[in-house]
């Protein structure tokens, strides 16, 4: 879906060095937006991604290694982006981590990190980006939540709490800016095969003495009626749609893209 013209718009995608965030950054870049990348990884690999995106699309692409577990760094990312790409008209809060353990064995540091990265960072970036969006009378905030923003699974207390919180933040921001040309929505994917989920597959295979295929079929996709992973490209197409003109009346929504998971 590359018929959307986002030329001249500036987009920040948090956690865009890998997985879903990188695909969203690629989609926004292909639609002509200048893009600010963020996330961790090998510096040479990230620089190669940055340069390829810029060269292939004739746009400006910046990169910030801001650690979004730190609120000040999350706020600072918006100023860094304004310096690198001009404006922040589109904000995709995508950075996220996972940790799986029973609640009474959940390491406090893991709880704090998940709440900070998966939820609080979106508060800081949104608060920093909104004034510019209001001044320019255009804005799109897209929060990558999860099916776990709508329903729970055991052993994912911090992740489920953070993603439910992110859906709540989405609705509140949407209401606050409802009478402006700014929208705020959450996308709630089911399981997508990315490094984040690959880590879970490996952990479960080890814990239960199963093969990766058994874990995918019997554990990971157990709750996903389609029995297929959600395609990352389908999420970036939806994000792109929300950022374009046709997305202008959609706000405060939690949009499921989960192979039927939350229809149960
Ligand atoms: P991923 O592990 O491939 O990517 C995560 C990104 O976040 C990476 O770029 C990483 O460097 C970055 N990141 C991690 N900690 C960070 C920090 N402290 N500061 C800045 N960046 C940081 O994971 P993914 O599967 O692409 O997940 C992306 C988002 O989608 C997450 O919010 C995740 O919860 C959500 N999600 C994923 C799935 C899935 O099945 N993969 C399903 C639903 C929702």
């Amino acid at each position: 879906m590359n018929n959307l013209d986002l030329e001249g718009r500036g987009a920040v995608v948090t956690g865009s060095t890998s997985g879903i965030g990188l695909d969203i950054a690629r989609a926004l870049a292909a639609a002509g937006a200048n893009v600010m990348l963020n996330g961790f990884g090998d510096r040479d690999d990230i620089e190669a991604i940055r340069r390829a995106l810029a060269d292939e699309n004739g746009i400006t692409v910046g990169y910030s290694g801001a650690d979004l577990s730190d609120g000040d760094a999350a706020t600072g990312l918006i100023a860094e982006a304004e310096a690198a790409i001009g404006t922040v008209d589109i904000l995709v809060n995508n950075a996220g981590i996972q940790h799986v353990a029973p609640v009474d064995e959940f390491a406090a540091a893991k709880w704090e990190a998940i709440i900070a990265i998966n939820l609080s960072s979106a508060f800081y970036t949104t608060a920093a980006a909104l004034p510019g969006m209001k001044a320019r009378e255009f804005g799109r905030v897209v929060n990558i939540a999860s099916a776990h923003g709508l329903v729970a699974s055991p052993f994912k207390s911090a992740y489920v709490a953070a993603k439910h919180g992110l859906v709540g933040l989405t609705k509140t921001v949407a209401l606050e800016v409802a009478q402006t040309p700014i929208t705020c929505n959450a996308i709630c994917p089911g399981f997508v095969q990315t490094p984040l989920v690959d880590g879970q597959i490996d952990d479960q295979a080890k814990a239960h003495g199963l093969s990766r295929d058994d874990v995918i079929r019997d554990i990971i996709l157990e709750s996903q009626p389609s029995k297929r992973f959600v395609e990352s490209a389908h999420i970036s197409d939806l994000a792109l749609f929300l950022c374009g003109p046709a997305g202008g009346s959609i706000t405060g929504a939690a949009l499921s893209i989960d192979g039927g998971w939350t229809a149960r």
Side-chain angles (χ1 to χ4, degrees):
M1 194 201 291
N2 285 336
N3 55 345
L4 290 172
D5 185 5
L6 298 181
E7 201 176 324
R9 304 279 192 214
V12 173
V13 186
T14 71
S16 47
T17 53
S18 161
I20 294 166
L22 178 54
D23 284 343
I24 293 174
R26 287 196 169 116
L28 291 168
N34 298 314
V35 173
M36 186 70 169
L37 299 170
N38 159 255
F40 301 148
D42 180 88
R43 289 304 285 248
D44 292 341
D45 291 348
I46 294 170
E47 176 52 20
I49 291 169
R50 193 200 65 73
R51 199 169 331 112
L53 274 185
D55 293 349
E56 285 162 15
N57 300 290
I59 54 165
T60 305
V61 182
Y63 165 71
S64 163
D67 179 349
L68 301 184
S69 63
D70 176 59
D72 289 341
T75 301
L77 172 61
I78 300 304
E80 276 186 83
E82 285 165 350
I85 61 169
T87 56
V88 178
D89 308 296
I90 295 165
L91 170 63
V92 182
N93 288 304
N94 165 81
I97 59 167
Q98 177 62 286
H99 178 69
V100 179
V103 69
D104 51 346
E105 294 170 20
F106 212 93
K110 294 281 189 193
W111 171 276
E112 298 292 347
I114 289 176
I115 298 297
I117 296 165
N118 296 20
L119 173 58
S120 300
S121 73
F123 157 72
Y124 288 110
T125 55
T126 303
L130 275 183
M133 292 178 177
K134 287 177 182 169
R136 286 184 302 278
E137 299 190 338
F138 178 85
R140 295 285 190 264
V141 181
V142 179
N143 294 324
I144 306 303
S146 168
H148 283 122
L150 304 171
V151 295
S153 297
F155 314 122
K156 296 185 174 177
S157 55
Y159 189 85
V160 170
K163 295 297 188 181
H164 274 67
L166 188 57
V167 170
L169 174 67
T170 301
K171 292 177 181 175
T172 307
V173 171
L175 292 178
E176 290 184 17
V177 298
Q179 293 181 24
T180 75
I182 301 169
T183 67
C184 180
N185 292 287
I187 295 179
C188 298
F191 279 108
V192 188
Q193 199 160 12
T194 65
L196 182 133
V197 167
D198 270 330
Q200 289 179 58
I201 296 169
D202 288 338
D203 291 348
Q204 296 275 5
K206 232 177 283 165
H208 300 288
L210 296 170
S211 69
R212 279 178 56 90
D213 284 348
D214 288 343
V215 170
I216 290 171
R217 190 188 58 243
D218 299 337
I219 300 178
I220 300 284
L221 295 183
E222 194 272 327
S223 49
Q224 206 149 287
S226 64
K227 301 298 170 197
R228 297 187 303 275
F229 282 106
V230 171
E231 288 182 38
S232 184
H234 295 172
I235 298 170
S236 40
D237 275 355
L238 179 55
L240 206 54
F241 178 85
L242 291 173
C243 292
S249 299
I250 303 174
T251 197
L255 299 161
S256 291
I257 178 160
D258 64 5
W261 180 342
T262 53
R264 285 178 194 271

